[in-house]
Amino acid sequence: MNRSALPGDPPGGRRAMAVWGIGVSVYFVAVIFRTSLGVAGLDAADRFHVNASALSTFSILQLLVYAGMQIPVGLLVDRLGTKKVLTLGVVLFTAGQLGFAFSPSYGTALASRALLGCGDAMTFISVLRLGSRWFPARRGPLVAQLAGLAGMAGNLVSTLVLARLLHGIGWTPAFAGSSLAGVVVLVLLLLFLKDHPEGHEPEPFPHRGAAYVRRQIAASWREPGTRLGLWVHFTTQFPAMVFLLLWGLPFLVEAQGLSRAVAGELLTLVVLSNMVVGLVYGQVVARHHGARLPLALGTVGATALLWAATLVYPGERAPMWLLVVLCVVLGSCGPASMLGFDFARPANPPERQGTASGITNMGGFVASMTTLFAVGVLLDATDDNYSVAFSSVFVLQALGVSQILRLRGRAARRERERLVASRVETVHVPA
């Protein structure tokens, strides 16, 4: 058998870092745009004259579009490659951010956020696929965590920079000016990004229409590792996503009596904690594959414990030290959600990686969307009782943990079987 016809592990190196860095920069900008509403929630309520439920609809619609696009985007990435999908994504999320800047009414603002969510949906799966095409498989967990780290850096920019611009120069200049970042990454993407290194082209496979789509989805879903990845992502990501995307600032200002400046610092702490924990989780899982599930479940347990302590703390408000610890622990939610991809990745062959990642990535965003809606409705129903509203977090955590425990045994057995089969196949490949 001709080895040159069978591309092995990609080599990695500086060239890989440069190309992958362009893809990550696209994701970085997408997260800035995605989380921009988190620092503008109170301003949006005043600008469009809406209550808590209507305000949450902004983020819910954005996440609904995002979650609904995950499987189609995964299929597109598997079929068309990274560059084409990322290009379309940049155009859409930049148009959405620009439209949001000039929206004269609640309805047009909703449409702009939906467009932004559609473009945003095309970024992360594409970046994961780009990493798997340019770096050796053993680097997969670390590369995924670094991509998540770049996303949190985007969150940090929206928390620190965009928030100040918003209150300094106003709504339209701040959002319109930020949209220029989308133009910059689009130029870099078109000029320099490549789907894979030379000599490592994936084997072509014919498109078979709807039958191909059904087979890709069904084959990915049959793998217990894909479903386990979805539920790990579902259970770990949403507490921090809900906090950063919309309800954290109102909770800290209205329920805890903090100034906007102090609340912004606590949101920044969540992001900084995420970045540090992401590096730690990536290194741990790269060295100890069996640490994936303990890390995920430990994160869920710590998050539930700190939320419960904050919400039931005796007295009118929780002390600052407890809010600081809560924000530090919430920072671990993003890195823990990345572990979901470390279950789905080894469960699927290269030609299904995009589809499997799309299924996994739906989990956290479905949970976030559900919780955003529940918190908004409960706030309106209870006259802004945040303790009752945020209790919805525990319901989804309990559901997710039950599914993780149900699937973990089957996923582990299937992963061992694939590993043994892969070793046997390698032994029998002639030189």
Side-chain angles (χ1 to χ4, degrees), residues 13 43 104 115 124 126 154 168 200 212 237 284 288 297 318 329 340 352 358:
D43 299 88
L115 189 63
F124 188 66
S126 298
H200 291 266
Y212 158 78
Q237 187 202 47
V284 170
H288 308 285
L297 291 175
V329 171
R352 287 207 309 265

Side-chain angles (χ1 to χ4, degrees), residues 25 28-29 32-33 90 93-94 176-186:
S25 69
F28 170 78
V29 174
I32 294 176
F33 293 179
V90 173
F93 70 60
T94 303
S178 67
S179 67
L180 294 176
V183 177
V184 173
V185 294
L186 177 61

Side-chain angles (χ1 to χ4, degrees), residues 141-220:
L142 182 58
V143 168
Q145 290 289 354
L146 289 174
L149 186 66
M152 293 313 297
N155 201 328
L156 189 62
V157 168
S158 68
T159 303
L160 295 178
V161 179
L162 189 59
R164 292 182 181 179
L165 286 175
L166 184 66
H167 299 132
I169 63 177
W171 180 282
T172 299
F175 280 100
S178 67
S179 67
L180 294 176
V183 177
V184 173
V185 294
L186 177 61
V187 172
L188 293 174
L189 170 64
L190 293 174
L191 291 178
F192 301 113
L193 190 133
K194 294 184 180 297
D195 283 345
H196 46 72
E198 293 182 8
H200 291 266
E201 294 83 359
E203 293 185 11
F205 55 95
H207 186 271
R208 299 184 180 89
Y212 158 78
V213 171
R214 287 194 297 270
R215 280 196 295 271
Q216 284 284 93
I217 296 173
S220 297

Side-chain angles (χ1 to χ4, degrees), residues 64-373:
L64 177 63
V65 173
Y66 187 105
M69 287 290 293
Q70 288 310 290
I71 292 178
V73 168
L75 291 164
L76 283 174
V77 171
D78 285 338
R79 175 62 186 158
L80 300 178
T82 300
K83 185 170 185 173
K84 292 179 181 178
V85 177
L86 273 181
T87 300
L88 179 58
V90 173
V91 171
L92 291 176
F93 70 60
T94 303
Q97 185 78 341
L98 190 62
F100 196 58
F102 292 99
S103 292
S105 66
Y106 178 67
T108 55
L110 276 178
S112 297
R113 295 308 286 186
L115 189 63
L116 192 157
C118 186
D120 182 19
M122 299 181 178
T123 58
F124 188 66
I125 293 176
S126 298
V127 171
L128 288 180
R129 172 63 173 261
L130 196 65
S132 69
R133 290 298 188 189
W134 281 90
F135 292 97
R138 68 180 183 279
R139 299 291 186 190
L142 182 58
V143 168
Q145 290 289 354
L146 289 174
L149 186 66
M152 293 313 297
N155 201 328
L156 189 62
V157 168
S158 68
T159 303
L160 295 178
V161 179
L162 189 59
R164 292 182 181 179
L165 286 175
L166 184 66
H167 299 132
I169 63 177
W171 180 282
T172 299
F175 280 100
S178 67
S179 67
L180 294 176
V183 177
V184 173
V185 294
L186 177 61
V187 172
L188 293 174
L189 170 64
L190 293 174
L191 291 178
F192 301 113
L193 190 133
K194 294 184 180 297
D195 283 345
H196 46 72
E198 293 182 8
H200 291 266
E201 294 83 359
E203 293 185 11
F205 55 95
H207 186 271
R208 299 184 180 89
Y212 158 78
V213 171
R214 287 194 297 270
R215 280 196 295 271
Q216 284 284 93
I217 296 173
S220 297
W221 184 255
R222 278 197 298 268
E223 292 292 345
T226 303
R227 283 174 279 146
L228 179 59
L230 179 146
W231 284 107
V232 167
H233 199 270
F234 176 100
T235 314
T236 53
Q237 187 202 47
F238 78 94
M241 177 69 74
V242 168
F243 197 78
L244 290 171
L245 199 59
L246 184 61
W247 291 121
L249 187 69
F251 168 73
L252 294 172
V253 172
E254 296 177 352
Q256 300 302 318
L258 303 179
S259 67
R260 285 197 180 203
V262 174
E265 291 173 359
L266 287 175
L267 293 179
T268 303
L269 180 60
V270 177
V271 177
L272 293 175
S273 172
N274 185 299
M275 297 170 78
V276 173
V277 174
L279 289 174
V280 174
Y281 279 18
Q283 293 286 356
V284 170
V285 174
R287 289 175 169 81
H288 308 285
H289 213 49
R292 294 170 299 172
L293 201 57
L295 285 176
L297 291 175
T299 300
V300 174
T303 304
L305 178 64
L306 265 298
W307 258 126
T310 302
L311 296 178
V312 303
Y313 190 86
E316 187 177 347
R317 295 166 184 165
M320 179 58 70
W321 68 263
L322 182 55
L323 294 176
V324 168
V325 176
L326 171 67
C327 290
V328 170
V329 171
L330 285 175
S332 65
C333 292
S337 72
M338 295 286 100
L339 300 174
F341 299 101
D342 293 324
F343 289 102
R345 189 184 304 110
N348 292 273
E351 64 270 16
R352 287 207 309 265
Q353 288 295 318
T355 306
S357 295
I359 292 172
T360 299
N361 207 28
M362 284 180 62
F365 290 93
V366 169
S368 298
M369 177 178 59
T370 304
T371 309
L372 283 167
F373 176 74

